[in-house]
Amino acid sequence: MQISPNGKNRKYNAVITGVGMYVPEKVLDNKYFESIVDTNDEWIMTRTGIKERRILENGATSTLATEAVKDLLRSRNLSPEEIDVIIVATVTPDMFFPATACLVQDNVGAKNAWGFDISAACSSFLFALRVGSGLIESGLYKKVVVVGADKMSAIVDYTDRNTCILFGDAGSAVLLEPTEDFSYGIQDSILHVDGSGRNSLYMLGGGSMNPSSHETVDKKMHYIYQDGKAVFKVAVVGMANVSYEIMQKNHLCSEDVAYLVPHQANLRIIDATANRMGISRDKVMINIHKFGNTTSATIPLCLTEYYRNGKVKKGDKLVLAAFGAGFTWGSIYLTWGMD
Ligand code: UT7
């Protein structure tokens, strides 16, 4: 039994040993939105940092998740039968039940896996990563796949300029495996929910509170509603504070952190978080300009792109951070374990 840097008595740390991603081909740029709502490229770029986003024309969230997992398996040369658990982080499951994880399991042929979905809005991936790591740390499982996937275009009202310009569709996945070398892997996490924020960002229709009816459809209750300004204020403080807190707790100074990996909702929120941590822009993973806010997929998508572009190296200390509906927010500190 080893004592981890965080003083936890356990044999294993969970480390990311594979990544995968899938973005649909269809691109919606800011010019397109100028043609459907009263907006313009300059407003979108300066207020959000988004230039374009991808939209899935045929298929559902399980399509995005399945392709991401297949990409991960290909890149690691793994057979699907080796997967023990599949966790799908999403707010746009294919349907209420069965869980999207079941569809992904069947699609990829992961015959020996069990799995489930996790819903925590834009923090879904962080929460799923924490749960998946726990399964590895317990010593019960050897290969846990954590997927972040959302088909946001399924719940966006394309007549509402406040929200339609923000979101895109994508899927991305990481593989977690055990390591006995505690210098690598998930080192610490600080995660929060505060349900008193539930009225600022939600989709009201279709659940047990407002089962689907002609009325819920007429009232557009199956679309995202966001009080952008209210969410912005708490997101800036929440994401910046929790990222700073995890650095303090783990005695990290800004020079120790190779990258901040933030949820990609708004470049201004990302900058505020980096400023609070004392980290310059070149040490922040950013792809919001290409994909917009893909909810559960933003963080693994950044990890996959930056790793594949050779920008992340073994031993790099990363701080992941997210804020989303609920409210939900948090930060995970990990040490990259792949060459
Ligand atoms: O991912 C999960 C959590 N979500 C977030 O973190 C999102 C947090 N919020 C935000 O990122 C920002 O609040 C938005 C990007 C959503 C909006 O930016 P903002 O700077 O807060 O704009 P605002 O809501 O204060 O709106 C300013 C003005 C308003 O006009 P008036 O009332 O001042 O005349 C809006 O109607 O901009 C208007 N506006 C637009 N104008 C052009 C809103 N959307 C648009 C648009 N194009 N697409």
Side-chain angles (χ1 to χ4, degrees):
M1 190 76 78
Q2 279 179 273
I3 307 286
S4 81
N6 300 314
K8 308 273 190 315
N9 284 324
R10 58 171 193 259
K11 192 167 177 202
Y12 302 112
N13 235 14
V15 63
I16 294 176
T17 55
V19 289
M21 62 180 271
Y22 175 73
V23 290
E25 280 184 10
K26 188 177 168 90
V27 175
L28 295 187
D29 62 13
N30 290 347
K31 278 264 167 263
Y32 169 77
F33 286 91
E34 290 180 6
S35 72
I36 61 165
V37 289
D38 180 14
T39 191
N40 57 75
D41 177 54
E42 206 256 330
W43 191 97
I44 301 172
M45 275 302 286
T46 53
R47 299 294 180 114
T48 71
I50 301 167
K51 207 163 182 53
E52 54 189 46
R53 62 297 279 148
R54 302 297 181 98
I55 301 296
L56 184 69
E57 292 184 284
N58 299 304
T61 293
S62 64
T63 316
L64 301 162
T66 299
E67 293 308 317
V69 174
K70 283 183 180 169
D71 182 45
L72 185 159
L73 293 174
R74 261 194 313 271
S75 69
R76 272 288 318 271
N77 203 18
L78 286 175
S79 121
E81 284 93 353
E82 293 179 67
I83 303 174
D84 297 317
V85 186
I86 298 173
I87 306 175
V88 176
T90 187
V91 291
T92 52
D94 285 29
M95 50 196 136
F96 270 141
F97 65 89
T100 303
C102 300
L103 310 185
V104 176
Q105 176 274 336
D106 187 44
N107 290 346
V108 302
K111 292 193 180 72
N112 300 309
W114 64 284
F116 53 95
D117 294 357
I118 282 187
S119 169
C122 294
S123 309
S124 298
F125 180 78
L126 282 196
F127 286 22
L129 189 63
R130 180 58 267 174
V131 172
S133 300
L135 295 175
I136 294 285
E137 289 162 7
S138 72
L140 286 174
Y141 302 99
K142 299 280 176 237
K143 285 187 172 54
V144 175
V145 171
V146 180
V147 194
D150 269 302
K151 186 188 175 187
M152 296 305 291
S153 60
I155 58 167
V156 163
D157 176 1
Y158 284 95
T159 65
D160 175 15
R161 71 173 182 172
N162 291 293
T163 51
C164 71
I165 52 112
L166 299 172
F167 296 98
D169 303 337
S172 187
V174 302
L175 175 67
L176 291 170
E177 290 188 89
T179 174
E180 292 187 34
D181 184 347
F182 276 59
S183 32
Y184 300 109
I186 312 299
Q187 305 292 355
D188 197 13
S189 61
I190 304 175
L191 304 172
H192 297 285
V193 302
D194 178 0
S196 68
R198 64 186 174 277
N199 294 325
S200 298
L201 178 51
Y202 54 72
M203 193 186 94
L204 276 182
S208 56
M209 189 192 286
N210 300 289
S212 302
S213 66
H214 289 292
E215 193 191 350
T216 61
V217 174
D218 290 344
K219 288 185 172 167
K220 297 188 165 196
M221 289 163 79
H222 301 270
Y223 291 132
I224 298 170
Y225 165 81
Q226 174 171 250
D227 178 347
K229 214 173 282 198
V231 178
F232 186 89
K233 278 187 201 150
V234 271
V236 161
V237 176
M239 214 162 101
N241 280 355
V242 79
S243 308
Y244 183 68
E245 189 188 342
I246 209 162
M247 283 174 71
Q248 298 279 94
K249 194 177 158 208
N250 291 279
H251 313 292
L252 296 172
C253 61
S254 50
E255 289 74 31
D256 296 327
V257 178
Y259 282 104
L260 163 66
V261 192
H263 170 53
Q264 314 276 307
N266 188 313
L267 201 49
R268 290 180 291 148
I269 300 174
I270 294 172
D271 281 341
T273 305
N275 285 342
R276 179 91 166 96
M277 296 168 72
I279 281 175
S280 55
R281 257 284 183 92
D282 58 313
K283 293 193 351 177
V284 183
M285 292 193 188
I286 296 171
N287 59 18
I288 189 171
H289 52 292
K290 294 194 292 185
F291 304 126
N293 184 350
T294 57
T295 304
S296 311
T298 59
I299 289 177
L301 212 50
C302 277
L303 290 174
T304 306
E305 282 210 310
Y306 275 71
Y307 172 65
R308 288 184 174 173
N309 290 337
K311 291 181 179 164
V312 192
K313 55 181 196 311
K314 195 169 180 177
D316 277 353
K317 293 177 168 48
L318 310 183
V319 173
L320 284 46
F323 190 95
F327 295 123
T328 57
W329 72 105
S331 192
I332 288 184
Y333 156 45
L334 63 85
T335 316
W336 197 251
M338 285 197 283
D339 286 314

